[in-house]
Amino acid sequence: VNQVQSNLTSSGATAHFTNTNASSGTSNVFFIGKNPITLTNVAVYIDGVWQSKAQFVLFTANTTIQFIDSTIPAGLTIDMDVWHTA
């Protein structure tokens, strides 16, 4: 736990935020809600299953993630845990 906290602090993250989206089947882009600064500060889950950071791209300019798959099937829950500056 101390190492994780140290890594987050060194990345500039000071607060935690969770955002939940539902997939529509027509998009692979999801709004995060806060700027995580780096990919290290984002954890993504589809229906509770953790997604490797290789499965999506982070766009800090508009605070979104885009999955490498062209679409995500409809009806899935996309959860994003984000550590950001307060």
Side-chain angles (χ1 to χ4, degrees), residues 44-51 77-79:
V44 177
Y45 305 85
I46 297 178
D47 275 357
V49 179
W50 176 79
Q51 301 299 299
T77 300
I78 313 298
D79 291 310

Side-chain angles (χ1 to χ4, degrees), residues 8 15-21 31-36 38-45 48 50 53 56 58 65 78-84:
L8 291 172
H16 179 255
F17 177 78
T18 300
N19 193 10
T20 300
N21 292 273
F31 180 65
I32 298 172
K34 300 284 184 183
N35 188 343
T38 69
L39 186 59
T40 304
N41 297 338
V42 180
V44 177
Y45 305 85
W50 176 79
K53 293 188 186 336
F56 60 91
L58 170 67
I65 60 165
I78 313 298
D79 291 310
M80 292 165 279
D81 285 332
V82 181
W83 291 265
H84 61 96

Side-chain angles (χ1 to χ4, degrees), residues 3-15 35-42 82-85:
Q3 183 61 45
V4 170
Q5 184 61 45
S6 177
N7 290 345
L8 291 172
T9 302
S10 67
S11 72
T14 60
N35 188 343
I37 304 167
T38 69
L39 186 59
T40 304
N41 297 338
V42 180
V82 181
W83 291 265
H84 61 96
T85 55

Side-chain angles (χ1 to χ4, degrees), residues 48-70:
V49 179
W50 176 79
Q51 301 299 299
S52 161
K53 293 188 186 336
Q55 297 301 312
F56 60 91
V57 177
L58 170 67
F59 294 98
T60 57
N62 62 359
T63 62
T64 61
I65 60 165
Q66 180 175 15
F67 286 98
I68 60 170
D69 291 335
S70 59

